[in-house]
């Protein structure tokens, strides 16, 4: 069971956009450059986040991506589901309905207990991801960053918003 | 993100073994037959569960699989990790250490906040799976089964334990 690498990329891009000046947008190329990522692959994930209503893809000379909502209104779960889909990790194949003890489908009156446990675990996982917003992540980055990191970020910011 | 189908197979096999008479064992062929599964693929998962100390693989004419521990001591998580491994769903590639604002590794004093949220969600998922045992699942099957299903199971049990 593995999340796609695009989840990490999408979350870092959302955090970067959350700490940009409010009128600034970043192109796919800039977002890729900042994180050392392949532009074409990143573009696919940013487009998925745009379709999900997390990013706004501006056009024209001042175009580029911005967050489409305040960062406090974008949860980690929103980004995970935009990039990786919202299919549950467990897919019940109803194997209890096969073999020598099988009975007609209508006689299984309750959801398979194994499926039920898996649904509960899936909900716990999503609830945990939903508790943290991109604004929370951005505040954490600001708190944890080293002075040198903040200085280098400031230099890069000046260059890209010139 | 998807669990392997072997997780469902392994859990159903564990539940079946939990409701067998205590001296009875079931061969891979019987376990596959009961669930309508391909023998060779199922064998691989049963061997993994045996290596993980969940199943005992007996040998000789009375051989076959039994639970290696009381079913109350085998959690859903135990089976999931035996079959699918215990790697977390999120793998942090530390992309914050790349690009124009990167600083030497020693200056990142805390775990990346994105990684931290993912670890928390992973723990919530595993905790939920750890709360239910194979004994709980077996009790649920007994409670939910239809009279016809119980009758057919009884017939099959007579045949395989003859």
């Amino acid at each position: 069971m593995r999340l796609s690498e695009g989840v990490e990329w999408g979350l870092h891009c959302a955090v970067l956009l959350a700490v940009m000046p409010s009128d600034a947008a970043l192109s796919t190329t800039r977002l890729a450059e900042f994180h050392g990522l392949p532009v074409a692959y990143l573009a696919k994930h940013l487009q998925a986040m745009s379709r999900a209503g997390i990013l706004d893809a501006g056009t024209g000379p001042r175009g580029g991506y911005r967050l489409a909502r305040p960062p406090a209104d974008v949860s980690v779960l929103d980004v995970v589901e935009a990039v990786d889909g919202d299919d549950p990790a467990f897919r019940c194949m109803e194997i209890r309905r096969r073999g020598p003890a099988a009975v007609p489908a209508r006689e299984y009156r309750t959801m398979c207990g194994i499926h039920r446990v898996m649904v509960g675990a899936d909900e716990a996982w999503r609830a945990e991801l939903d508790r943290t917003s991109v604004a929370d992540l951005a505040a954490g980055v600001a708190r944890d960053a080293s002075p040198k990191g903040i200085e280098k970020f400031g230099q890069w910011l000046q260059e890209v918003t010139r």
Side-chain angles (χ1 to χ4, degrees), chain A:
Chain A
M1 195 177 71
R2 175 69 53 92
L3 288 165
S4 89
E5 59 190 357
V7 164
E8 182 179 18
W9 302 2
L11 285 166
H12 276 281
C13 287
V15 171
L16 177 55
L17 291 170
V19 299
M20 294 291 290
S22 62
D23 60 336
L26 289 175
S27 66
T28 305
T29 306
R30 287 296 193 187
L31 285 164
E33 167 195 279
F34 189 82
H35 299 103
L37 298 174
V39 177
Y41 283 118
L42 178 61
K44 192 176 71 103
H45 298 301
L46 296 174
Q47 285 155 14
M49 289 167 68
S50 177
R51 281 193 301 274
I54 294 170
L55 299 182
D56 254 345
T59 50
R62 304 283 294 168
Y65 283 108
R66 290 174 175 82
L67 286 179
R69 310 197 292 262
D73 294 346
V74 180
S75 75
V76 171
L77 181 64
D78 292 335
V79 177
V80 167
E81 293 190 338
V83 172
D84 243 19
D86 58 4
D87 285 344
F90 180 81
R91 189 164 157 219
C92 176
M93 299 302 286
E94 286 286 356
I95 67 173
R96 63 178 176 164
R97 296 190 190 175
R98 304 180 191 169
V103 292
R106 67 176 178 279
E107 300 207 22
Y108 298 94
R109 290 156 302 175
T110 57
M111 182 189 276
C112 177
I114 291 170
H115 190 187
R116 205 153 48 215
V117 172
M118 291 296 178
V119 167
D122 199 78
E123 286 172 354
W125 185 75
R126 281 172 216 278
E128 195 65 26
L129 295 181
D130 207 32
R131 281 181 47 211
T132 302
S133 71
V134 167
D136 298 328
L137 291 175
V141 169
R143 192 182 57 234
D144 296 343
S146 69
K148 182 70 188 162
I150 292 171
E151 184 192 328
K152 291 182 80 176
F153 174 65
Q155 286 163 0
W156 180 80
L157 198 58
Q158 281 203 325
E159 187 189 321
V160 300
T161 56
R162 186 176 295 154

